[in-house]
Amino acid sequence: MNDEPIKVRKGGHVLEVTLDRPKANAIDLATSRIMGDVFTEFRDDPELRVAIVTGAGEKFFCPGWDLKAAADGDAVDGDYGKGGFGGLQELRGLNKPVIAAVNGICCGGGLELALSADIILAAGHATFALPEIRSGTVADAASIKLPKRIPYHIAMEMLFTGRWLDAEEAARWGLINHIYPADDLMNEARKLAELLASGPPLVYAAIKEVVREAEDMKFQDALNRITGSQFETVETLYRSDDQKEGARAFAEKRDPVWKGR
């Protein structure tokens, strides 16, 4: 329906999720619960391999929490639904690539949403900030994630001051992957999504589980878990038809046909 806050488009193995809540694409509790359902369905659907999340319009990707809804009674500690705020940052077992296509202002919880993706593409006019400090609140997920993604001192400056980064500075610090003209952003996101969708889904799943679980582990401990058959996705990969197909395709000098099983 046209008045739904989340627009979903499926094309082949790719799911596009567009946050569409004029004027700013802010997220209230109801919208967060819908997003949780959408991303849970994406996680559990074997036909879907890659997701793109973006915002409607040209000005806002997402400013995060809907303060107007909060003023009308939405509790900040209310029920955000599956996956927590925005449906992504706490969604367990999401072992598929997610691309954020940032088409404008990306701040607060909106930046936390983007940080929950695996790859971040941005329009040239996109801007990034964590302004929670100015309203006396904590950017909780960003306080955990951001100092691990970009240099510590830059992350702390953003958290302490709420200052804005333009797209060029965000790319310089490694916060985003690529910058594109606004008119080209979604086309580039779709091209990347199709490239990923043509790849081996079981390998992606193994990569995501290993990276996620190893984040706070010592190198040798993480490696021991792999060699000790303690990562379910890695074991699934090594016992799969896709693993055999990869070897056959290499020997036969052809492109592999991945089935995800």
Side-chain angles (χ1 to χ4, degrees), residues 176-197:
I176 63 176
N177 295 80
H178 303 286
I179 304 170
Y180 297 108
D183 291 342
D184 297 337
L185 176 63
M186 285 306 298
N187 285 336
E188 295 295 337
R190 288 168 183 146
K191 284 168 55 178
L192 178 58
E194 291 295 341
L195 173 65
L196 295 176

Side-chain angles (χ1 to χ4, degrees), residues 198-218:
S198 70
L202 296 183
V203 177
Y204 295 150
I207 290 170
K208 286 203 66 171
E209 184 183 25
V210 169
V211 169
R212 183 174 61 246
E213 296 298 319
E215 185 174 21
D216 296 318
M217 298 174 66
K218 293 180 180 179

Side-chain angles (χ1 to χ4, degrees), residues 90-113:
E90 298 177 60
L91 186 59
R92 294 182 180 275
L94 179 54
N95 291 327
K96 300 176 180 181
V98 178
I99 301 165
V102 178
N103 56 304
I105 293 171
C106 177
C107 64
L111 180 51
E112 292 176 332
L113 176 63

Side-chain angles (χ1 to χ4, degrees), residues 4-6 18-35 54-56 59-70 74 80 85-86 105-111 113:
E4 288 295 319
I6 301 298
T18 302
L19 182 56
D20 187 5
R21 293 193 71 232
K23 301 178 179 181
N25 296 330
I27 298 174
D28 62 0
L29 289 176
T31 301
S32 182
R33 289 192 289 267
I34 294 171
M35 295 174 77
T54 191
K59 185 175 181 181
F60 289 95
F61 170 72
C62 176
W65 179 238
D66 187 337
L67 295 179
K68 290 184 179 179
D74 264 14
Y80 292 106
F85 181 80
I105 293 171
C106 177
C107 64
L111 180 51
L113 176 63

Side-chain angles (χ1 to χ4, degrees), residues 25-184:
N25 296 330
I27 298 174
D28 62 0
L29 289 176
T31 301
S32 182
R33 289 192 289 267
I34 294 171
M35 295 174 77
D37 290 340
V38 167
F39 286 118
T40 298
E41 181 181 346
F42 165 67
R43 181 195 65 188
D44 297 340
D45 187 340
E47 293 301 311
L48 294 173
R49 298 185 180 181
V50 183
I52 301 170
V53 58
T54 191
E58 300 177 352
K59 185 175 181 181
F60 289 95
F61 170 72
C62 176
W65 179 238
D66 187 337
L67 295 179
K68 290 184 179 179
D72 289 337
D74 264 14
V76 70
D77 59 350
D79 178 13
Y80 292 106
K82 301 169 186 173
F85 181 80
L88 271 181
Q89 62 188 17
E90 298 177 60
L91 186 59
R92 294 182 180 275
L94 179 54
N95 291 327
K96 300 176 180 181
V98 178
I99 301 165
V102 178
N103 56 304
I105 293 171
C106 177
C107 64
L111 180 51
E112 292 176 332
L113 176 63
L115 288 170
S116 299
D118 302 295
I119 296 173
I120 304 176
L121 311 180
H125 69 283
T127 53
F128 305 83
L130 294 166
E132 283 88 343
I133 189 72
R134 297 173 185 172
S135 58
T137 58
V138 175
D140 45 14
S143 297
I144 298 168
K145 291 182 177 181
L146 196 63
K148 298 178 180 179
R149 306 290 180 83
I150 66 175
Y152 172 86
H153 299 97
I154 304 303
M156 297 307 289
E157 182 184 15
M158 291 180 67
L159 288 162
F160 283 161
T161 71
R163 84 170 180 90
W164 290 82
L165 274 60
D166 61 21
E168 289 188 3
E169 185 176 4
R172 186 163 72 246
W173 297 124
L175 180 61
I176 63 176
N177 295 80
H178 303 286
I179 304 170
Y180 297 108
D183 291 342
D184 297 337

